[in-house]
Amino acid sequence: MSDEKQFCSFYLGDQFFGVEVMKVQEILRYHEVTPVPLASNEMSGLIDLRGQIIPAINMRIKLGMSDFPEDKQPMIIVLQHQEGAFGLLIDSIGEVLQVSAGSLECPPDTVDSLTRDLVAGVHKLDGKLMLALDHEKLANFTWAQAA
Amino acid sequence: MNSTLLLEEVEKARLEKAELEGAKVPAEVIDFVQEKSLAATIHSELATPDKNKETQPALIIGQGGQRFAIPQANLLEVVRLDKEDETKTSLEWIQGAPVYRLRGHLLPVVSLNKVLQIDEDNAAPQEKLAVLEADHRQFGLLVDEIINTEEIPAKLSCHSLQTLQVYSGATILKDKKMALVIDIAGLANHAQVTIQEDDPSREKTATSSRAEEENVERQACLIVRTGDNRRLAIPLAKVARLEEFNLSSIEKSGTQDVVQYRDEIMPLIYLSNQDSVKDSSTEQKTAFPTVVCGRNEQSLGLVVEQILDIVEDCPVAKESPEGQNVLDTIVIQNQVTDVVDVDHLLGERVSTSNVKLLHAPSTER
């Protein structure tokens, strides 16, 4: 295909992120999340998706931000993966963006290391930057708390 | 899913958001998108195969408002603890740790809310105990609610949960609630449940006894130390309870020391060859451990200096006819231990608290 990729974009706080559309299984309004005792803080818990149990990652905590406010219900992006689908809890969905490989840059050093580990690249768009997240790195989550 | 359908999904979410925000969206567009996503939902419901008809029975319990499942393969029994009623047994405490006696067998007890760190401040008394076994280790688990039993899939979802050793997966119950399935061996490890510490002498007793198992009867014994530094063994089957009394609660009835215990007056017997518990080194202590024996008609409190241990594999002592309140001397954990003749103490109407524990002349050391 051409050197263009489609990203499903979303917001976390005032930052703008994207994941490859091809990896997205679906997008949900907030679903009830069952917490898992003893799991690390970045794991919100488990979601019942039409009978399928999938893990849900709290993307705010994962990227070192403050947790979702009580009164606001996060949306959930469900990503596919060969080892099982998983969900990302996010603030809100943006648009599907067509991005050319040419606009991709390495993340600057000013981006903190937590974020940088998950970011495949930064795309310059009109007036803002989109941090493209690495699907494989996201899929590499673990329930256990860091030792 | 091809990207067109995905785009529609994204579009749908965006439309919903726009709708909420009061923006105008053409009706045909909404219908089109909704139709497509409805089709996708129906398709996935029908397509989910029910391949794994194999199920396993599980006990569903509740803690902190959440559901957990315990495979019945690990479940021995469920007990309701009742602190009010004497005829039902309750939790006892050895050196600060809760234990529960199950037919002569002392089990360590673990509280689910403490192990999972849920709702730890909840002061509600926990009265439901599930007796569990994994890897030949038995223990009791205190929980808030015992809900019901249910057949859950033999093959569980969400294997990634196994990185937390307490879980083996998750499942959705018949009432549509999510339950985390507990891995009992993992839970035991995590809670560091051990009824016996690593003790080489204990292991020796266990292995040597196995050879004689067919010939010699075994029983569990409580090992205690008396004020005059003797080791005594009290068959656990004769023990009703372990208590601690204050020196201040000892009263006198005739020549006997007694305490008021559970609506009765219980005589005390000092298991040492000294004359009184007050003479011995217990001067520093104000509380002394007491092994309560006997049931129904009359309890008897055997006062000791310290409760040392519980040993599972004690040879049953033969009765030594001329001994006084001592059945026999045996070696437990490589130390000489006298076995107390509890039946004799209970049977005889003992009128004094200072009972001598002596061997028959022929076996005197």
Side-chain angles (χ1 to χ4, degrees), chain B residues 21 88 101 131 136 181 258 351:
Chain B
E21 288 167 8
K88 293 192 188 148
R101 184 135 34 87
V131 180
H136 303 292
V181 183
V258 297
S351 60

Side-chain angles (χ1 to χ4, degrees), chain A residues 116-134:
Chain A
R116 207 152 9 103
D117 282 342
L118 297 171
V119 170
V122 177
H123 288 273
K124 284 184 301 201
L125 307 164
D126 304 324
K128 60 185 173 207
L129 294 177
M130 181 195 79
L131 279 81
L133 295 179
D134 185 323

Side-chain angles (χ1 to χ4, degrees), chain B residues 90-298:
Chain B
S90 59
L91 282 186
E92 297 172 34
W93 299 81
I94 289 188
Q95 295 174 328
V99 293
Y100 174 72
R101 184 135 34 87
L102 182 72
R103 295 182 287 276
H105 208 67
L106 271 183
L107 295 179
V109 165
V110 158
S111 203
L112 186 61
N113 70 339
K114 288 212 170 66
V115 171
L116 297 183
Q117 293 164 21
I118 314 170
D119 211 16
E120 275 179 287
D121 304 322
N122 180 13
Q126 303 209 286
E127 291 178 339
K128 283 126 193 154
L129 185 81
V131 180
L132 306 172
E133 176 169 351
D135 295 339
H136 303 292
R137 274 182 296 171
Q138 294 183 2
F139 63 99
L141 184 68
L142 276 176
V143 300
D144 268 350
E145 299 173 79
I146 305 246
I147 296 168
N148 61 1
T149 58
E150 200 170 298
E151 290 287 326
I152 63 173
K155 217 175 136 196
L156 296 169
S157 302
C158 219
H159 289 276
S160 57
L161 280 172
Q162 288 170 5
T163 45
L164 294 171
Q165 64 173 343
V166 297
Y167 304 118
S168 51
T171 187
I172 297 179
L173 301 173
K174 294 201 170 66
D175 62 357
K176 305 287 186 216
K177 291 211 168 92
M178 180 107 62
L180 288 160
V181 183
I182 299 186
D183 177 328
I184 302 300
L187 183 70
N189 281 334
H190 183 80
Q192 288 168 339
V193 163
T194 44
I195 185 161
Q196 296 164 356
E197 306 279 22
D198 282 0
D199 182 349
S201 65
R202 185 189 316 283
E203 278 172 29
K204 271 194 227 152
T205 314
T207 41
S208 63
S209 72
R210 236 159 263 148
E212 311 166 309
E213 214 155 30
E214 288 89 53
N215 306 320
V216 183
E217 250 182 84
R218 301 264 141 196
Q219 63 176 345
C221 277
L222 187 69
I223 312 295
V224 300
R225 183 169 65 86
T226 63
D228 53 350
N229 262 321
R230 258 169 100 181
R231 280 172 69 101
L232 295 180
I234 302 171
L236 211 49
K238 311 280 183 207
V239 177
R241 259 175 202 93
L242 300 174
E243 297 280 355
E244 264 204 10
F245 294 114
N246 282 315
L247 273 183
S248 53
S249 50
I250 304 179
E251 299 175 73
K252 266 221 180 302
S253 166
T255 50
Q256 179 134 50
D257 282 356
V258 297
V259 287
Q260 290 184 32
Y261 180 64
R262 289 175 181 238
D263 294 334
E264 63 176 82
I265 299 170
M266 181 173 77
L268 294 177
I269 297 216
Y270 302 122
L271 288 182
S272 82
N273 285 337
Q274 292 170 308
D275 287 322
S276 163
V277 72
K278 292 173 185 137
D279 290 345
S280 68
S281 58
T282 55
E283 254 172 53
Q284 311 301 333
K285 295 202 306 189
T286 48
F288 51 92
T290 302
V291 181
V292 179
C293 299
R295 282 166 229 275
N296 304 327
E297 319 90 52
Q298 177 67 296

Side-chain angles (χ1 to χ4, degrees), chain A residues 32-36 44-47, chain B residues 66 178-180:
Chain A
E32 192 185 331
V33 177
T34 304
V36 173
S44 298
L46 298 169
I47 293 175
Chain B
Q66 283 196 251
M178 180 107 62
L180 288 160

